[in-house]
Amino acid sequence: MQGNHQQQAYDRGITIFSPDGRLYQVEYAREAVERGSPTVGVRTADGIVLAADRQIRSPLIERDSIEKIHSVDNHIGIASAGHVADARQLVDHARQRAQVEQLRYGEEIGVETLTKEVTDHIQQYTQVGGARPFGVALLIGGIENGEPRLFEADPSGTPYEWQAVAVGGGNTRIREYLEEEYDPQLGQEAGIKLALEALATERDELTPEGVHVSSVTIDDPAFSTVDTEEIEAYVEELGLGGEDDE
Amino acid sequence: MQGNHQQQAYDRGITIFSPDGRLYQVEYAREAVERGSPTVGVRTADGIVLAADRQIRSPLIERDSIEKIHSVDNHIGIASAGHVADARQLVDHARQRAQVEQLRYGEEIGVETLTKEVTDHIQQYTQVGGARPFGVALLIGGIENGEPRLFEADPSGTPYEWQAVAVGGGNTRIREYLEEEYDPQLGQEAGIKLALEALATERDELTPEGVHVSSVTIDDPAFSTVDTEEIEAYVEELGLGGEDDE
Amino acid sequence: MQGNHQQQAYDRGITIFSPDGRLYQVEYAREAVERGSPTVGVRTADGIVLAADRQIRSPLIERDSIEKIHSVDNHIGIASAGHVADARQLVDHARQRAQVEQLRYGEEIGVETLTKEVTDHIQQYTQVGGARPFGVALLIGGIENGEPRLFEADPSGTPYEWQAVAVGGGNTRIREYLEEEYDPQLGQEAGIKLALEALATERDELTPEGVHVSSVTIDDPAFSTVDTEEIEAYVEELGLGGEDDE
Amino acid sequence: MQGNHQQQAYDRGITIFSPDGRLYQVEYAREAVERGSPTVGVRTADGIVLAADRQIRSPLIERDSIEKIHSVDNHIGIASAGHVADARQLVDHARQRAQVEQLRYGEEIGVETLTKEVTDHIQQYTQVGGARPFGVALLIGGIENGEPRLFEADPSGTPYEWQAVAVGGGNTRIREYLEEEYDPQLGQEAGIKLALEALATERDELTPEGVHVSSVTIDDPAFSTVDTEEIEAYVEELGLGGEDDE
Amino acid sequence: MQGNHQQQAYDRGITIFSPDGRLYQVEYAREAVERGSPTVGVRTADGIVLAADRQIRSPLIERDSIEKIHSVDNHIGIASAGHVADARQLVDHARQRAQVEQLRYGEEIGVETLTKEVTDHIQQYTQVGGARPFGVALLIGGIENGEPRLFEADPSGTPYEWQAVAVGGGNTRIREYLEEEYDPQLGQEAGIKLALEALATERDELTPEGVHVSSVTIDDPAFSTVDTEEIEAYVEELGLGGEDDE
Amino acid sequence: MQGNHQQQAYDRGITIFSPDGRLYQVEYAREAVERGSPTVGVRTADGIVLAADRQIRSPLIERDSIEKIHSVDNHIGIASAGHVADARQLVDHARQRAQVEQLRYGEEIGVETLTKEVTDHIQQYTQVGGARPFGVALLIGGIENGEPRLFEADPSGTPYEWQAVAVGGGNTRIREYLEEEYDPQLGQEAGIKLALEALATERDELTPEGVHVSSVTIDDPAFSTVDTEEIEAYVEELGLGGEDDE
Amino acid sequence: MQGNHQQQAYDRGITIFSPDGRLYQVEYAREAVERGSPTVGVRTADGIVLAADRQIRSPLIERDSIEKIHSVDNHIGIASAGHVADARQLVDHARQRAQVEQLRYGEEIGVETLTKEVTDHIQQYTQVGGARPFGVALLIGGIENGEPRLFEADPSGTPYEWQAVAVGGGNTRIREYLEEEYDPQLGQEAGIKLALEALATERDELTPEGVHVSSVTIDDPAFSTVDTEEIEAYVEELGLGGEDDE
């Protein structure tokens, strides 16, 4: 209980350190990410796969309105886990940066540059008072100079580049699965299957409608959603689905 | 009681996370919505139906002044549950966005675009200090590119698209009713009846004056109130009314 | 006592919700209204009657300086219950809105439009930090397009339209009286008498000087005070007065 | 003690209501007024009398520097009870308003208009955060359209018009005295005597130097201080003085 | 101890009243003045004397750098007791006001006008949040229209005019001494002696270097420091010095 | 426990001192630095070596994305320990200052000048409210006027110049190692080896990929990363590696 | 413990007084100064000597980077004790003021004028909210009109002029030493020796590198550092050094 009181003393003010040098508000924002359903990113030899679990509370909800994956520019997409409304703010910020880059230099923004624009924005909300940190983690993927790049932006505003990664609920188990199964030589199709299998580790069954998968490849650098029919075929092939679809 | 104290520590400051990653102020704003009378939205094959319970405290009050449904643009309406005064602010915001769109592009704003303008606005009140979140949930419905669209905007600023949905007091039971009875092939008239029956699940009797129903259809894309006489006929047909009307 | 402590935790910060979704500061502002003397509004077939109790602490005070009823525009009046100084701020705001409308469109502002300008202003003080809510309820009455209209603006910023209503101290009993006695066919004179009788339910006796009554009619759309002599005649006729006038 | 704790919870924040709808900070500001020495205002048939107790802590202090009565414009004066420094701010505000009126309309500002300019200013300090209320009550008196007018402005920002009134320490007893003795037919000289007798109710003896009396009349609408010699004669006549003057 | 807790509840926030109408922060600022060494002002028939105790912590400190008396304009000086750094701010403010007056009207500012400019400035720090009150009391003296004037400005921002006065540590005893010994007919030399004797009441011995005395007279309206030699002669004449000077 | 409570009282507000004159928030920011992996800087006779530990949480993470060393200008680099996102903000600030210098004076900014621009920026976050201090320590190294310079910028905003230094986790042991082994005559290659050995004191084995080493020399004043192959050779030569590389 | 709690109640808010009129934050800032190593200033017949202890934590630190003495203008220097980063801010402020003076009037700023510019700046941080006081004491010395002047600026913003003074850790004992040994007739060389001996009172041995001594004389009014060789000779002559230098 002493420990509890100690902790309480430092985690209420957004912009202050605890005696052991931690920023509790940022750590709690990470908890907010854990409360969200998982999102997976895979970098293949050919491109990037972003896959998000989009289970729904009710059969009457339109699955497509569960916004977990957004396109930023033609060639870059962002998948999120955690607060959907927070993610939208960051995606809007990313889109504006991409447009400014396009207008100023006549070039598409690089994936790494975009990621750092976003993480610098996130960091401000962890240091300056008057607002809480963003309760969301992003996976930012796309093609840059003919190479697929996949980044994570966490609530502290730190950028990381990954070969394959998961954020959100159950990410520990999914990351373990990815570490075991990932192979940098995977093609795009294999990458999509890996992403589906990874998401399936946290669920009893996977319905084609219950996931949103997007893809961008070096050959076709246009970030786009993978058709439900295609997902359905993979799910069947991998034996991830349950008996009765809705 | 320990738990109580723990909780108290995190729910006073508007813009901070609790250790388990929740934003209590947003959850309490949802409670404010639950305290309001229920509002129902139904997407039919032909259009959108918005129906709101407008019971009154006194026979001397003018029912029409109980503002639960507002038209935004010619083709879009917003129904609310929760704080009426908060809803008015959001409706004003929506109207301004619709006008700006009209002025800039000479086009009517889309239902989805409008919803996201509103939810982004709501999100700001959950992250930036100096104000509380909005204590209201909105149903935003209209015709977009010849298709009926129905969205929910909740106090966290998350947008959801629905086939049929209820917000406000008793929404759990009403949603269950909708899940059982909803059929996407329903015509507009059947949609109105479904909405009335849904609202009736929470009341002993339904008077024609006690509800406000609005409708917009693909064929007549002008958002307008359904006449009380028409409602009266439905209530009678469905046997939802009580013996003595006021 | 637990409950007490619970409550204390949420009612100090102006702009936050309690766990059950209430805004205590707004509810306490309603208590401030209850502490004021009552004000009554009646919509008759011919016009609007606003009547306010203006009892005085001392025989040396000038009754006319007890400001309970204000004219906004030629055709609209506002009666208040609660903090007099707060009411003045809102009346000033209303007058400015009315002038702006006149200047911009060359037309008198409508009663409903004016009411909503005022309630939107009130709402801001319940959501944005740095100020307390207004501790006053207003009755806004006037003629709009040849029709009498009567609105209430409460401390939450919600507008209601009424046939007859009371705000301030003892309003529950007065509203009950109005519900029993109100008839929409009442003429203006009968409306004045109803208002006086309604106020009298809360007092042992009613002196002509102890009330302020204003009136506006469709035929004479100029908001003006009813003469004390006229009130005196009604009080006598209705037997509401005590033996000895001051 | 419970009650004490309850109360403490609501009276620290300047701009919030207590559960019973009170603004403690405004009530405490009234206590600050009570701590000051009393000030009396009397409206006679001929004009206005303002009289203030100005007892001094030391014989070395210059009595004239105890500022209790200020002229605003040629024809209006303000007497205060409570915080002298706060009163100066309000008097400065009043003077500026009077000058603005003069410049804009070429007319002397009315007593009622001036009072309401001042009370609206006071109200702002009771609603908007970042400052405390004014700890002072004012009596504002002068000639308007050939009529003497006498107003009180209290710390809540409410204006009252009086025939005769007292503010500050012992005002309850002085008001009782005024209620018994006041007669609207009193001439200016009788008004001065009444004011002196009223102040004397709270003191064993009244020295001519121990009061400041100002006067303005319909015939001589220039607000000015009554000579000490004149006061001395009244004090002697009324038998209010003690044996030994300083 | 109850009382203690009660008090603590109201004295932390700078801009709020306690239940008995006091502003603790202002009272504590007065304590800060009491902690300073004393300063005396005397108005003579010929001019003004300001005298300040300037004892030093170390023989290596330059006494002249202990700033207790400042000239504002050619004809006005300010002596302070309490926080030296706070006094400097107010003196700077006073100098600016004096210059502005000179520039605008081509005239030297009056002593009373200057005092009120300063006290109005002090008052702001007792009402508006975001800063503490000034922890200093000032004596402002000079010649105005051929007359010597002496004012006190206290931490509440109240101006007082005095014949003779002391502020700072031990002022109660010094004021008693002044009340006994002061005579308005005193010439300037006698005034200086009175000031020195007054300061000596609080010390075992008075060294000429241990005081700073300034003087301004009607005949020589230039505010200036009295030479140490002259002080030495007075100290010797009055027998105020100790045996051994440093 | 008393001590604990004492401490708690002073370490929550960012900008205040504790009774013993410490700024806890700055000390906690230092703890945040200690939580990071270590970074070493060595000044050799020929240039500057910056070496950072970059261990990774997962084999799927791209080591190059662990940003511990940044180039600012062509000739200056910054290595960090602690919060990566905070470091990015300071590096951005440094880059802007370097560009401004270049634009204004047409010269490369000096290492010392740049360091002080950065530390002055850091200091502001320890004194002015509304933000927390930076949770990062920087090593800033480069060539200035043909001389290698190596500076540390700590969370208090104090600049230090070093011959060799370590910041971050385990810096005490690493500094001890450096003090024993450092020789100002070391050439650049020896400097790199010393840095590797220093980092190795805190780890069982050192993999070439697990460190990031950068170098700038007088002869080749372009700040650049040392190739992994080169590091591999050194690690092997020094026997710092483990048996199995990933 | 009661006393402890009492104290705690008043020392957290930067800008408020305690009941006994103290500003704890300023007193704690003085503690921060005491935690720093000592700095000595001596005014000789010929000029000013500033001497600072600059012991180092590690033999690898560059002593010259321990900034304790700064030149402001050609003829003025500032030595500090306490927070180094805070001192830099004040030195920057002083330099700007000196430049402004030079630009406006074409003259070098006076030592006293500069000191007061700095202390007025310091005072603001003790009165206005939103920032903590400066945790540093400065000694400001230089030549003004052919005379050496030496000032102290403490955390309250009070300026003092000294013949000889010490600030920082152990200043009490050093001041005692100075009081015993100081002679205003000392020449510059003797002044340097006195400063070294004064610093030595707090240390077992004094190494030439362990102190920074600066000097400015009437004859050579350029503020500059005394060579280590020269210091070495003095240390040897005075027998202050230990056996083994590094």
Side-chain angles (χ1 to χ4, degrees), chain E residues 20 23 33 41-43 69 76 104 173 197 199 221 230 241:
Chain E
D20 56 349
L23 294 168
V33 175
V42 175
R43 187 179 80 200
I69 304 184
I76 302 182
R104 282 209 194 131
R173 236 166 78 184
E197 286 174 314
L199 286 179
E230 204 177 326

Side-chain angles (χ1 to χ4, degrees), chain C residues 46-48 75-76 101 107-116 140-151 161 216-218 221:
Chain C
D46 302 331
I48 297 293
H75 66 304
I76 302 181
E101 189 88 359
E107 289 181 19
E108 290 186 328
I109 196 167
V111 184
E112 183 168 359
T113 301
L114 180 71
T115 299
K116 289 179 180 173
I140 305 175
I143 307 299
E144 180 171 354
N145 298 329
E147 293 294 327
R149 308 286 300 271
L150 173 65
F151 287 88
E161 187 168 11
V216 61
T217 60
I218 300 166

